[in-house]
């Protein structure tokens, strides 16, 4: 999003909160551009409209990013459908072949729960399916929540976090 598009968003927000016109909005404009600049303008407009339709206070970057994320399809299947996909792959693909998942998070949960696809096929039986499903729902919920929270972060923040992780994992001399 360009600076002029960010300014348009800010002017829409200000039109809904005229008392904010008395304040110096240059720092707000700079902050919005820094923290929202990676969003597509049309998505940002729709997100702002969503926030403004419910807002009692001037919109925050967090509210706009949350609304933008909610407006865009994530492609992540819900937990029940993901577990059904695992069971289907157990029948169709079996122990020796590698399944193709509709979303990478399914593979992450399979590996987190069972350690490998082969272990999943061996350990998830009719006797354990109810307990496995309960564990799946909880773990899948945790991992999809992390993914949603990560999606809300601006790229700049993700890069900073990645650099911190690299620095912390370097062996000290």
């Amino acid at each position: 999003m360009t600076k002029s598009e960010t300014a348009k968003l800010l002017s829409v927000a200000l039109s809904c909160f005229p008392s904010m016109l008395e304040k110096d909005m240059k720092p707000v404009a700079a902050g919005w551009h820094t923290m929202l600049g990676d969003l597509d303008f049309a998505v940002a407009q729709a997100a702002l409209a969503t926030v403004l339709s419910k807002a009692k206070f001037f919109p925050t970057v967090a509210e706009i990013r949350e609304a933008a994320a909610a407006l865009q399809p994530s492609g992540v299947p819900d937990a029940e459908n993901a577990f059904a996909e695992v069971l289907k792959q157990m029948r169709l693909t079996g122990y020796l072949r590698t399944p193709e998942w509709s979303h990478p998070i399914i593979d992450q949960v399979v590996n987190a729960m069972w350690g490998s696809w082969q272990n999943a096929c061996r350990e998830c039986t009719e006797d354990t399916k109810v307990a496995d499903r309960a564990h799946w729902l909880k773990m899948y919920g945790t991992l999809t929540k992390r993914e949603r929270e990560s999606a809300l972060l601006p790229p700049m923040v993700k890069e900073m976090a990645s650099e911190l992780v690299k620095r912390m994992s370097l062996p000290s001399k």
Side-chain angles (χ1 to χ4, degrees), residues 31-162:
W32 275 30
H33 185 67
T34 299
M35 301 305 288
L36 300 171
D38 63 298
L39 298 178
D40 177 74
F41 180 59
V43 172
Q45 275 184 309
L48 180 61
T50 301
V51 171
L52 288 172
S53 70
K54 304 172 199 169
K56 294 179 182 176
F57 302 101
F58 195 77
T60 65
V61 167
E63 291 170 324
I64 296 168
R65 289 198 76 85
E66 285 175 9
L71 290 169
Q72 298 176 7
S74 69
V76 179
D78 65 42
E80 290 286 350
N81 287 333
F83 189 68
E85 186 175 336
V86 169
L87 296 177
K88 181 179 178 183
Q89 288 295 329
M90 286 178 177
R91 286 190 313 275
L92 298 176
T93 305
Y95 176 88
L96 295 175
R97 294 186 311 193
T98 304
E100 302 233 349
W101 303 114
S102 63
H103 196 277
I105 203 160
I106 297 172
D107 189 52
Q108 291 173 11
V109 179
V110 166
N111 287 314
M113 275 188 64
W114 292 290
S116 70
W117 175 245
Q118 288 73 25
N119 288 344
C121 291
R122 201 174 26 247
E123 294 173 19
C124 185
T125 65
E126 285 300 318
D127 294 336
T128 64
K129 198 182 295 181
V130 172
D132 287 335
R133 180 182 165 279
H135 292 298
W136 175 274
L137 295 176
K138 187 171 185 172
M139 188 172 291
Y140 192 85
T142 300
L143 290 178
T144 54
K145 180 181 178 198
R146 279 188 203 152
E147 186 167 293
R148 280 192 309 274
E149 288 171 353
S150 176
L152 292 175
L153 297 175
M156 171 188 74
V157 175
K158 290 179 189 177
E159 289 170 21
M160 290 168 59
S162 176

Side-chain angles (χ1 to χ4, degrees), residues 14 16-23:
L14 288 169
C16 295
F17 291 90
S19 64
M20 294 295 289
L21 290 170
E22 300 167 9
K23 300 182 185 324

